[in-house]
Amino acid sequence: MRFLLVEDNRDLAASVKARLSMDGHGVDVAHSLAEAGECLQAASYDLILLDIMLPDGDGRDFLARHRKAEGATPVIVMTARSAVSDRVDALDTGADDYITKPFDFAELEARCRAVLRRRGGVAQATRAFADLVFDQMAATLAVAGDLRDLRTREMRLMELFIAAPGRILSKEHLLDRLFSFSEPVSDNAIEVYVGRLRKKMLGSRARIETVRGLGYRLTETPE
């Protein structure tokens, strides 16, 4: 998934980005509301992590404008304010969840997963296609009952394919979802990760098909 982190504390932003990147997410960091607006114009995001007190304004005002513009990207507000009224205000403004600083990274990760599941209409952590069962929480892929571990990028790539079986996903789309602006990415990065995921899928009826000139799609070989 690709996240936008809006946080003016550079040390905290660097720590959150490093932790979420370890999970395979692409994370772009904005240190002000102006930078956040520029990021939203340049890319689409699966989740926004939004601080309230920014150097150029209140994050809640930014959130209200985002929702008014029909921005549906889920938002988790992060702030040192712990009063109930502050939490209610953020949620009423359009936040999907709220976490109080200082927070444990494990809790932040869990809240991110929960918000993404709710927005995707998925209550469970597992998804199935053909003879594959993908467990996002455990980072595993079961092929006809045979369990294989997935590394972070393989897991994120599997999330994209299994969420849209049969749909052609371009290399550009996959790059946009897997990597942030600041990450150096080689021209063949997607081919490398698709190749690794195909190896984990060996023996399955499901396969990742190359559609020449367009991208890739998850398909099923008839029994």
Side-chain angles (χ1 to χ4, degrees):
M1 300 295 169
R2 188 165 185 177
F3 295 174
L4 174 60
L5 171 61
V6 188
E7 170 60 62
D8 64 323
N9 183 317
R10 293 178 182 270
D11 289 339
L12 176 59
S15 296
V16 171
K17 177 176 180 176
R19 181 61 179 255
L20 294 175
S21 296
M22 287 174 60
D23 288 338
H25 300 295
V27 183
D28 293 325
V29 178
H31 297 297
S32 68
L33 297 179
E35 289 180 12
E38 292 172 359
C39 288
L40 286 175
Q41 289 181 350
S44 60
Y45 294 93
D46 299 291
L47 179 66
I48 298 173
L49 301 172
L50 177 65
D51 187 21
I52 285 183
M53 301 303 295
L54 280 303
D56 55 347
D58 192 314
R60 289 169 296 187
D61 295 334
F62 174 87
L63 174 58
R65 292 193 300 271
H66 179 61
R67 292 295 185 232
K68 188 175 181 180
E70 299 184 356
T73 307
V75 176
I76 297 177
V77 166
M78 307 184 304
T79 181
R81 296 180 177 181
S82 58
V84 172
S85 59
D86 290 321
R87 297 199 295 271
V88 170
D89 186 35
L91 293 169
D92 284 344
T93 303
D96 294 86
D97 202 351
Y98 185 106
I99 190 166
T100 304
K101 301 176 184 176
F103 48 76
D104 186 271
F105 285 136
E107 180 186 359
L108 177 62
E109 290 170 322
R111 289 182 180 274
C112 290
R113 291 193 297 268
V115 166
L116 291 169
R117 286 199 302 271
R118 290 200 299 270
R119 278 301 178 104
V122 181
Q124 70 277 10
T126 61
R127 301 193 71 164
F129 177 77
D131 55 356
L132 294 179
V133 177
F134 171 57
D135 189 329
Q136 177 183 350
M137 296 291 291
T140 59
L141 187 68
V143 178
D146 181 22
L147 204 62
R148 292 108 187 255
D149 292 327
L150 298 178
R151 296 190 177 186
T152 51
R153 299 288 188 195
E154 296 165 356
M155 180 176 69
R156 299 309 173 196
L157 194 58
M158 191 69 238
E159 284 179 352
L160 294 170
F161 281 121
I162 207 165
R167 176 184 170 188
I168 298 174
L169 304 180
S170 68
K171 287 184 180 180
E172 292 74 17
H173 175 76
L174 296 175
L175 283 168
D176 182 67
R177 301 266 60 84
L178 291 179
F179 300 95
S180 65
F181 288 130
S182 61
E183 291 179 279
V185 183
S186 64
D187 292 339
N188 67 338
I190 294 301
E191 289 94 329
V192 170
Y193 287 110
V194 167
R196 291 178 182 175
L197 189 54
R198 281 171 170 161
K199 289 181 180 179
K200 298 294 177 70
M201 294 169 57
L202 286 175
S204 171
R205 299 197 315 273
R207 65 191 184 95
I208 299 174
E209 176 187 5
T210 299
V211 182
R212 189 174 297 276
L214 296 177
Y216 304 93
R217 64 183 169 195
L218 181 64
T219 62
E220 179 181 2
T221 301
E223 293 186 78

